[in-house]
Structure formats: C-alpha cells, structure tokens
Amino acid sequence: MEDVRLLDSYEQRESGGEGMMRRIQVRITGMTCAACSNSVESALRSVNGVVSASVALLQNRADVVFDPSLVKDDDVKNAIEDAGFDAEVMPQPTTTKKNSDSKTLVGQFTIGGMTCAACVNSVEGILRNLPGVKRAVVALATSLGEVEYDPTIIDKNDIVNAIEDAGFEGALVQSSQQDKIIVGVSGVMTEMDAQLLEGILSTSRGVRQFRYNRISTELEVLFDPEVISSRSLVDGVEEGSNGQFKLHVINPYARMTSKDNEEASNMFRLFMSSLLFSIPVFFIRVICPHIPLLYSVLLWRCGPFIMDDWLKWALVSVVQFVIGKRFYVGAARALKNGSTNMDVLVALGTSASYFYSVCALLYGAATGFWSPTYFETSSMLITFVLLGKYLECLAKGKTSDAIKKLVELAPATALLVDKDKGGNIREREIDALLIQPGDTLKVIPGGKIPADGVVVWGSSYVNESMVTGESEPVLKEATSSVIGGTINLHGVLHVKATKIGSDAVLSQIICLVETAQMSKAPIQKFADFVASIFVPTVVAMSLITLLGWYIGGKIGAYPEEWLPENGNFFVFSLMFSISVVVIACPCALGLATPTAVMVATGVGAKHGVLIKGGDALERAQKINYVIFDKTGTLTQGKATVTTAKVFTAMDRGEFLRWVASAEASSEHPLAKAIVEYARHFHFFDGPSPTKDGETHNKDSTISGWLLDVSDFSALPGTGVKCCIDGKRVLVGNRKLMAENGIEISAATESFVVELEDSAKTGILVAFDDKLIGVLGVADPLKREAAVVVEGLQKMGVEPVMVTGDNWRTARAVAKEVGIKDVRAEVMPAGKADVVRALQKDGSTVAMVGDGINDSPALAASDVGMAIGAGTDIAIEAADYVLMRNNLEDVITAIDLSRKTFARIRLNYMFAMVYNVVAIPIAAGVFFPYLRIELPPWAAGACMALSSVSVVCSSLFLRRYKKPRLTTLLKITVE
C-alpha cells in the first residue's frame, strides 16, 4: 500500500460504494433553467437500469450511476438527446493519487480578481472547456483553482493564459509534475554575476529552461528529473559560483501567503487613495457652504463653470477612472465572458452618478439651467466598496490561517549527513525541500524532524502532538518510525528519510485541508444559481424603479415638494435607481458557504479531525446512526491472553509450547497474543511494548523453543491447523472443531460460555483429535468508549456495533459500552450490507473503522470516519480522518458539522434578508409613508459591509470548542 495517499480523491467513495455499478458524467448543452434540468433527470431515471441521476444546471453536467449489464453509455446519451438536448459522455474522472496508468497532472493556480460566485462560475466554465482539461474546481474564498489536465494536450502556461485572457490574474502555484523549481538567489550584484548564473545553468545537464527575475531575485528552472535532481541542481549552481551564490527553495504556500498579503496591501492603498480624494469632495459639498470665506472662493467662475464644479469634477475623475479602474476592468471581462458580477453593479452605479453630473454641468453651461450634481456619490461609493473589499481580504486571510499554521510546522532546513568528494563524512545544512529518499538526517535536541523516516541511530523522546493530539512524548529508538514536523525533545537522532514532498504525512494533511476548502457543499448550488440571475434581476429592478418614479412624477402621483432643490423628476428617480443597483450584493451569497467550510476545516484540523470536503460536512450534520467496528475501534486492538485452562494431564508449559508453535506462522492478532503469552510464560521477561502494542523483541519469533510445524494452514473465520510430530493440532473456534469431528464436552462448553459472557474470546485447542484445553483472550475497551456511546445517544444518534466475533462476546462488549443494536458474526463484506440495511428508510449512516476490512463499509456509508491510527486504505475510503485514536473525536466531528451548517444557514438568512429588506428601502418603497430614503453613497456603504458581515459571521466558528462530555451527559464533577 505504499502508493496509497491520504489525499486520494474522496469522490471515489461514490464509485466504491456502488459495487458493480458504473458512474459516468455527461456534458449537456441546451439547458436554460431548472425546468430543463428536471426534465433531463426524469428522462434518465426512466431508463431501466439507471440507479441515480443528478443534473447540475450551472455546470451543464449530469452524474449518472447505472448497471452496465442493462444500460450502455450510448443509452444514457440517447435518453438525454430524446429529451431535446445535446449530450456528450465525458472521460472518467481521475483522482489525485499517483497512478502509473494515468497521464494526467494536477496543477494549482492562483486566480486574482474574482469578486463573487458569478466570477467563479465564469472561470470554471472557461477552464473546463479547455481541450485536455479533465476537471477544474475554483474556490472564491481562497482565490485558488485546481485543474486536472493532460500534459500531452495542454500545458500549464496555456491554462494561465486562458485565465488571463478571461480578464483575471493567473499564476501556477504548484503541480504534481516534479520538473520545476523556484528558488531565491542571493549574491547576484552586477550584470557579470547575472551572466555567470545564466552560464552555469546553460551548461548544466538536464536543465531545459530557466528564467531569472532580477527585481524579485527569483530563479525559475524547468528541468528533467530523470537526468538531474533539484538538490543536484542547487548544489551545482552554488559550487559553480565558488560559493558566491546562495540558493533557497521558495515554498509554494509561502508564495501564496505573500500574494494574499500583497492583495490586502494593494486594496488598502486603493482605499486610502480614494479616501484622500473623497474627503475634499465631501468637505466642499457639506462643510464649505458654512464657511463664508471658503465658500466665496468656490463660487468664483472659471470659464463656463464655478470653482466648486471644477474641483469636484477633477477629484472625482481620478477616483472614478484611476482608482476605480479595477471595477471597469472586472465588469468588462465579466460581460466578455457572458456573465455578470458585482463589478458590473458598481460600474453601473458609479458611472450613472458621474456621467449624470457631467451631463448636468454641460447642460447648465449650454442652457443656463443648473441641476444639482452628485459627484460625491460616485467617489464615496467607490471608497466604501474598496473599504469593504479590504476588510473582506483581511477576514478571508483569517479563514485560511489553518493552512498557514500547518505550513509553519514544517522545518525550513535540515542537517544532512553524507560524504564529500574525498569520501569523508560531513554534516551540512540543506533546504528541507531538497531532502531526497534515503538521505540520513541529523536531528538535534529541540529540533524538528525534517522528513518522514526511520531512526537508524540514537534514542530520544519525540512530541507528536501535531499529528496525534496526545501531549505525552513517545520514545523513539532504532527502527522506530518518525513523522516530519514533530519535535525531538532530548537526545540526538539520525533519521533515514523515507517519504518526502507530497507523500509525507504533514504534506498530505495540508493537501487534505486544502482539498476540503476547495470543495463545494451541495448547498452552494443554491448560491451559484442565485448568482447567475442576480445581477440581471437587479438591473431590471433598477430600471423599473427609475421608470416607476419618473412616470409617477409626470402623472402627478406624488407632489413636487418631494423633489430635491433645483431637481427634477428624472434626477429624483435616478437616485433611487442608482441606490438599487449599488445596494444589491451577490458577494454575501457567494461567500456564505465557502468561508464557513474553510473555517470549519481549519478548526477541525486543530482538534485532530480532518474533513475531506464540504459535502462531507453537510452529510455529517444529518447523521442518524453511527456504526462502530468492535476490534480496534471500540477496543484498544491489543489482545492479551487472560486465561489458559488445560483439561488433560499435560503440563501447562508444554500445552502453551504446542499452541504457540501452531500459531507462530499466523499473522492474526490473536495468534500473536498467544505466542507472546507463551514466550513470557517460558522466559519470564516481558517484551518492550511500543505505542501500538507491537514489540521489537525478536525472541518471540525465534524458533529455538518452538516445535517444528508441517502442513500449516490458516483458515479465515475459524482458526489454524497443522501437524507437530506427526499429530494434528487444531486451534480455533467451535466451527473449526465441528468441521473436524472434535467433540466438545459440556464442561468445556460451559467454560467457553463463561468466557464469552465476560467479553472474552474462547479459543479451543485440540491435539491428536482430542480437545485438551481452552485459552481466553480479551481485547480491553477504550476507556472513553462507554461515555462516547452515551454522548451520541444524548445527541439523538443511535450507535450500532458490528463484529465478526461470536454473539455472546459481542453482546457482552455491547452491554459494557451501552450499545443496544448489535450485529455479530458479520464477515468483512457483510459490514457494508449492514450499512445499506440502515440506509433503506432514508437514514444517514456513519461508519467508524480502522482496518482494511472496514473500507467497503466506510465507502458504502453516507459518512465514513477512519481512525487515524488505522490503515491507509481505510483512511482513503473515509470522509473524516480522526488523527487521534480517540472516539471522542466522533462526537467532535458531528458537533462541528452541525454548528458549521447552522452558521451557513445563518449566513444565507442574513444575505437573503439583507437583499430582501435593503433593495425595497433603496427603491424608495417606504419613502411615501415614512420619508425614508437611502442615498447612493449610503447604499454603497451597506453593500460593502454586507459581505464583510458574512465573512465575520463565519469567523465566529474559530471560537468553536469541543463539547465537554460532562456537559453533554449532565455530569456534575465535585
């Protein structure tokens, strides 16, 4: 399982849970509304053999699961075409895991300039339509896009160009293709130094292309990894310059953080510049009329206009077209791509007030009739919008703190122990990003372990709380595994690196959190739909407001006293119309879900709960049943022999020697427990236990004290059988004895039943076709198991236990933890059947497991939760990864999901109520009755603060605290 990665796409859970079913995606063209998507879904579901069909209107796609023995791909395509739409079956989606058969790569790109969900839809549509692109996901909250593409058809630069052609800023962050390195270079002072650097690179074997930016001092090199490694490249440049140049690899996440900070700084500069020009305009309009001397200066006539008009026009023109240029650019690219966004609304509102004011001045100069101008509306509107965008940048930066903190855990440098050209052992400091598998690394006390690996020399205690959440240090000595980013506390260690880069545990955790933040919860579809129609609807409402007030004034529906001084019906109507355009905000809707999901995934990681996506969060908050596997999940997974009873005259030591000899060749945990018990009985020297209950003591496997075994056979579900000294030995359960004709006496049966009633497993031993003894093996429950079960019941979740063990032992264990629903003697494949049985009435079922045999059930469940100490394949099949081997995190996962979606609903309610209430006020609905009106500049302030309010609402999740079981169970601690 070396190639199984933690980050392998959680999308596989659907395909994995369908058994022999086939899942395809179909691109559909011609759909225009929800009615179209509903008709396509109905057409697909009417096809015999189609299990499920889901149509995404905005993505123009259908996701279809069907029985390939009844339905072919063409049948699905024909059903859609018969419904009146064009259809194209898309290539099978691939996952992010490394696959020798797959030729696709996954690239991550920063996308600047997105303002709302409409921008996201536009960029995703452009990327998905590029030839060679298999999958594209864009996240507004992180300004990132993840694109899976075929490098033989399209290049990374082509994707960046497509983003930029759409009017957005694009740049590659990182790619799964390890052929590119970006380093910072110090020591380049003159033109001669730059030429020396270029000369070294030009003569280096394996270097395909390079580009040196003298302003940022960044060097980007494209190389052939089959010819030269990244470290050899760096070493070659430093040695070729005789140590003049020093190179350090730039972490891609550090570059992203830098870009985020740069965006926030740029927005702050724009805001301050706009404020600097807007304050004089406001001063001229509001303050100066009350200062006679200044007001007399403003009334001086210069040409056709007074000084007041000239100053306001000059100041506001700078704000409108220089500082506010970004809104025109954003609106233009949105319209170019056939979509609309917030920039369109801001550009419309500010342009209306600005150009009306200009026209009013020109009309006054030509006719002598001077209408009031509204230059200050335009400038203050832009100022408030920029303020809102700046605050939004700050708030969004807070939501991505989880990834930043995880990145900070990784050490920047490492001490490499290798040999120089003369063969002498040396220690040298290298960039941690240049570590290669097989490197020997020295870790000093207090230092961070630079990579995942194995200790080859030394002994020390290591703090692994960043992964396990347990504060107790763990002893590490020769052959112990270590995790990169954990802290060495006392002794010096030499570690051999085994996993680096994206294969390392810390990198996979970062990728998992990032993937979750990139994902879209199903509830986001609502926001995407609203965003697609929001701006056209608002523009239409603005025109209706303008015409309604103007026509109403002309026909005398309201008195002229309502008009502003020197105003007319058109100006009066226009101000309401501009306020409608400006106050409407699609951003709040677009940010409601992704910001909450971002914060929740970060908070989950902090508490040892890794969430694989927003869809997992949405399902988890509806859980009705939680299924626990018994062994290793409810129990500690550390089987120990508690009883050894011999029914014949055979000596106990000899009895244990025969049993251990039979079990020594078995890999079953119970067999290992029996061998260890027998070894301890013979030698009276306990093994050195490790964290996971295994031992490094080799004595238990030394055959010197064991008997020679022949014809060994392990029988799944029953036990083992073999021959020793020509006599048959059987070790297993009742079924094994019955199949081999071994009679079980009433006394023996009574003894086994007594063991099972006390939650122990009874193992029968037969020698030479006679039952000679029984072993009792117990697997202690986790100390928190009973409390967690009761806590789930208090939360309205019903716990269920499944096990392959016998019914008596299963019932005894279930009684001890308080579980009422027990499913025993269930084969591994049958666990998935238990899940499906509970799902039949529409219940949402979660499965908690840790082993390979749990993975089918984890994939079949609505929410799979893998214990972090379990196997890689179990983690792959799950939606949640509980990094700590603690069942309390099951409650944390469910509670965090519920609180996150409560926050998302609150965000949507706020965004919807804001627009529902604010737009009528801006349109002047209450003006005839209450004389309440909202000037355009005030409408701009409200619009800017609405999206900030939603982001801040999501940030409240950062204050999340794990539920205390004492509170949940209403236990009073004295």
Side-chain angles (χ1 to χ4, degrees), residues 599-622:
V599 177
T601 52
V603 169
K606 176 183 175 182
H607 291 288
V609 177
L610 297 183
I611 307 164
K612 289 192 177 180
D615 56 340
L617 271 169
E618 185 162 347
R619 291 193 301 272
Q621 49 103 25
K622 299 182 290 186

Side-chain angles (χ1 to χ4, degrees), residues 233-248:
L233 177 63
V234 170
D235 289 345
V237 172
E238 292 183 346
E239 291 173 4
S241 65
N242 294 320
Q244 178 182 345
F245 302 146
K246 295 296 181 184
L247 278 63
H248 63 277

